[in-house]
Every structure is written in C-alpha cells, then in structure tokens.
Amino acid sequence: MNNDNKRICKMCTTVIKGRSDKIFCSVNCKSQYSRQLKKVSYSAMDRINKILHRNRSILLETLGKNKNQMKTFREVLDNKKFNYGYMTHYHINNQGKTIHYVYDFSWVIFSDQEVLIRRIR
Ligand SMILES: [Zn+2]
C-alpha cells in the first residue's frame, strides 16, 4: 500500500477512488466546483463592465446627445470620476497620439490637458 498515490477531491477533500486522472470524488463535486468558478469570474467581469459603462455614460453626458465631437478639459472628466485606465480598445494614429475607446466613444488627451471626445458612428 502506497499512501503517496492518495488523491483528494479538489472540492471536498475526500479521498478519490478509481481512475488516476480523476480530480473530483463525484459528479456533484465537479459541478459544484465549476459553479463556484463561474461565480468568481462573473463578479470580476461585472466589476469591470460597470466601470466601462460608467466611463461611457460620462463621455455621453459630457458630449451631449446632439454633438459628435467636442474638446473639453481633463478636469471636467476628473471631476466626474472618469476612470482613464478602463477602455475597450485603443489605437495609435499617424501622429503618434493614442486614441482610447469605450465602446462607441473615444477620447484623446493633449499635452495642454485638453481632451477631445468623439462619438464613433
Ligand atoms: Zn468531493
């Protein structure tokens, strides 16, 4: 009898019997584990999605419903607690400027702290 080969269930720590590639003691533990994993990753995505939606709302609110682009000051977005670290994608234009996107909106920050906000159609 070799105890080094004892494997315990990843979910409930019961000793596993049967095939050597088994990670869980039962189907029940396996599905419970995957449910927990899903819950954790969904709450992480939720947190990030909320920040992205908030950023988009701030850009929409600043730009207004009828304009497609405007320049404002960084301070305006700062005051609304815009989170510059969260975007959906970015693009570096031929002038070396980084254009940040949140869904269908973009923003570019200039050296004088002006911000160009655009709605992408
Ligand atoms: Zn188990």
Side-chain angles (χ1 to χ4, degrees):
M1 197 73 189
N2 187 353
N3 282 335
D4 293 343
N5 289 332
K6 247 187 188 172
R7 289 159 299 120
I8 56 167
C9 175
K10 218 173 163 178
M11 187 66 216
C12 72
T13 68
T14 295
V15 176
I16 300 173
K17 294 176 187 126
R19 282 198 344 252
S20 63
D21 59 340
K22 276 171 85 176
I23 304 168
F24 301 98
C25 70
S26 64
V27 176
N28 205 27
C29 275
K30 191 179 176 177
S31 58
Q32 205 178 322
Y33 185 82
S34 88
R35 267 199 307 275
Q36 270 188 8
L37 209 63
K38 239 181 226 167
K39 220 182 196 175
V40 170
S41 48
Y42 274 123
S43 68
M45 285 193 289
D46 243 22
R47 190 183 61 79
I48 294 167
N49 286 341
K50 272 182 193 144
I51 299 170
L52 289 171
H53 289 177
R54 206 185 126 70
N55 271 356
R56 187 188 179 274
S57 301
I58 291 169
L59 294 178
L60 172 64
E61 182 187 285
T62 308
L63 187 62
K65 282 199 164 95
N66 302 316
K67 275 189 263 177
N68 282 328
Q69 70 171 64
M70 75 177 294
K71 261 191 172 182
T72 185
F73 289 98
R74 194 188 156 122
E75 202 186 356
V76 172
L77 297 183
D78 290 349
N79 287 343
K80 294 175 191 278
K81 306 269 185 280
F82 189 79
N83 199 330
Y84 298 90
Y86 288 78
M87 65 194 90
T88 52
H89 51 300
Y90 73 94
H91 167 78
I92 298 169
N93 72 8
N94 49 20
Q95 284 139 42
K97 275 267 159 219
T98 305
I99 303 165
H100 311 83
Y101 295 89
V102 193
Y103 304 105
D104 53 335
F105 285 82
S106 73
W107 82 89
V108 181
I109 301 176
F110 295 90
S111 51
D112 57 3
Q113 299 305 299
E114 271 197 302
V115 185
L116 174 66
I117 301 172
R118 269 196 176 133
R119 188 197 312 261
I120 315 301
R121 298 257 184 203

